[in-house]
Amino acid sequence: MQTNFNLTLTKQSDNKNILINLLSQLIDFRIKIIVTINLLIALFVMNYTTTLYAESAFAKFKLGELDFYCIQDAPGEMNNAIFAGTDSEILKKHTQNGKSPSSISTFVIKHNKKSILIDTGNGNQLLENLAAAGIKTDEITDILLTHTHPDHVSGLFNRTKPNFPNAAIWITANELTFWKTSNNALVEKTIKAYGELKIIIPDEKTSIVLPEIIAIDTIGHTPGHVTFLVSSKGQKLFIAGDLLHSSSLQFPHPEISSRYDNDPKQAANIRKKLLTRTVNEKWIFVSAHIPFPGFIHLEKDGEGFKIIPIKLLP
């Protein structure tokens, strides 16, 4: 009797262990299924986001009464070599694999019958992305040049043909002089295709094309580098041109200049001054080389600045 009882207990214990093992396997299997499903969802979202990003190389939002667009000409990176002489520990802290994320971006302001393009990039994907944004090249009425380095003016032409046949070109007098000394052939080609260039007066008072746009003198990167402040209905947006080349490095360390700066010391001084104004006056900040789409606010952070992401209504 005792033996039978013991045997029964043993059989019940075995069954219990078998049941526990089965349940454990089922739970493991269920977990694996859940993990697999979650991984598939994550991969789908990542791929969808990447595709959406790649197919949407323009961004649009409303600045007061103005339509404002960021049009990416090309994604890219800035090599640390352009910051030669910078402390290696600072570079290591603020960049990855010897590079920092960047972009070549242009901007469009539309209001009433005016469509104003700020810079033209290298002409890589500019026309394609303008078209994606619903902007026709022949509707561009004005082109404002922050300066005349190739990655800001090369999009003016498709070989010999002007890309924006109905546009007037605007430039500061100092930058025009600089352009003539650096590439007079392109200056003459531009005048022949677009007509006499119009002169920007960067005195922060004289409007350019629209009453909402004024120019700020920011020489240093080039002898005639200029930036633009756009205001509408209490909102203000600062188009910074090449005030900086690496947001990950030069926001925390605005004293660092790149080898592209014609006058590194002057470029650093004006960069600190304008970044401080951006914070104090609560401007929206955009520039050619902030990773796309690059609409940001800034906040003071020690001796430097940090990015505050913002969401803008389309």
Side-chain angles (χ1 to χ4, degrees):
M1 188 76 180
Q2 183 71 38
T3 303
N4 289 338
F5 183 72
N6 284 339
L7 282 173
T8 303
L9 282 177
T10 302
K11 287 177 181 177
Q12 288 177 343
S13 177
D14 287 345
N15 289 337
K16 183 179 179 181
N17 288 335
I18 291 168
L19 183 60
I20 290 170
N21 286 335
L22 284 171
L23 287 171
S24 177
Q25 289 177 38
L26 285 170
I27 291 168
D28 287 344
F29 183 67
R30 185 169 177 265
I31 290 170
K32 287 176 182 177
I33 289 174
I34 293 169
V35 169
T36 302
I37 289 170
N38 286 335
L39 282 172
L40 288 171
I41 291 170
L43 286 170
F44 173 77
V45 170
M46 285 168 61
N47 287 334
Y48 179 74
T49 304
T50 302
T51 302
L52 183 63
Y53 180 86
E55 290 180 354
S56 301
F58 73 90
K60 176 189 175 185
F61 73 95
K62 202 79 174 174
L63 183 76
E65 294 182 341
L66 311 178
D67 291 318
F68 190 87
Y69 299 76
C70 176
I71 310 291
Q72 188 179 51
D73 182 44
E77 296 175 317
M78 289 290 176
N79 196 296
N80 283 354
I82 73 169
F83 303 107
T86 300
D87 186 289
S88 60
E89 289 302 312
I90 292 176
L91 290 175
K92 185 177 179 180
K93 180 180 179 181
H94 295 288
T95 64
Q96 293 184 345
N97 302 318
K99 297 177 181 178
S100 51
S102 184
S103 179
I104 299 177
S105 296
T106 67
F107 308 97
V108 173
I109 300 166
K110 294 186 72 174
H111 186 55
N112 295 331
K113 295 181 179 180
K114 290 292 185 179
S115 295
I116 304 160
L117 176 65
I118 292 91
D119 290 335
T120 67
N122 268 324
N124 293 313
Q125 301 160 20
L126 176 62
L127 302 186
E128 174 186 338
N129 291 331
L130 280 170
I135 301 170
K136 298 177 181 178
T137 55
D138 61 3
E139 74 180 70
I140 298 295
T141 57
D142 300 86
I143 298 172
L144 312 186
L145 298 178
T146 61
H147 64 296
T148 55
H149 281 163
D151 58 329
H152 294 259
V153 300
S154 296
L156 286 170
F157 291 93
N158 181 1
R159 297 182 182 177
T160 59
K161 181 182 176 183
N163 282 327
F164 309 98
N166 298 320
I169 310 294
W170 294 74
I171 188 172
T172 66
N174 286 341
E175 190 65 16
L176 179 55
T177 300
F178 170 70
W179 200 13
K180 286 178 178 178
T181 60
S182 61
N183 194 343
N184 192 56
L186 182 55
V187 175
E188 292 180 354
K189 178 181 177 181
T190 302
I191 292 173
K192 184 178 179 180
Y194 288 96
E196 288 297 325
L197 308 185
K198 295 182 178 292
I199 299 301
I200 294 169
I201 302 174
D203 61 0
E204 301 193 36
K205 295 184 295 183
T206 306
S207 61
I208 303 106
V209 185
L210 294 174
E212 293 88 349
I213 305 173
I214 58 171
I216 301 174
D217 191 4
T218 46
I219 59 175
H221 179 58
T222 63
H225 186 271
V226 69
T227 51
F228 301 101
L229 185 63
V230 187
S231 306
S232 183
K233 295 292 183 181
Q235 290 185 292
K236 294 191 175 186
L237 180 142
F238 179 49
I239 304 172
D242 275 13
L243 196 67
L244 76 167
H245 293 83
S246 167
S247 55
S248 64
L249 176 65
Q250 291 176 289
F251 280 143
H253 288 278
E255 75 281 3
I256 295 174
S257 289
S258 81
R259 70 181 185 193
Y260 299 133
D261 291 325
N262 182 70
D263 186 329
K265 185 176 180 180
Q266 191 172 30
N269 288 337
I270 199 68
R271 181 163 45 253
K272 293 174 190 175
K273 179 182 176 182
L274 266 298
L275 294 182
T276 299
R277 284 187 67 183
T278 298
V279 172
N280 291 343
E281 300 184 36
K282 295 179 170 53
W283 295 342
I284 300 168
F285 185 99
V286 300
S287 81
H289 300 304
I290 290 181
F292 175 85
F295 304 122
I296 60 171
H297 276 140
L298 290 174
E299 189 175 272
K300 201 76 175 70
D301 186 27
E303 294 300 312
F305 304 85
K306 65 180 180 181
I307 292 173
I308 307 298
I310 55 176
K311 185 175 182 180
L312 299 166
L313 297 175

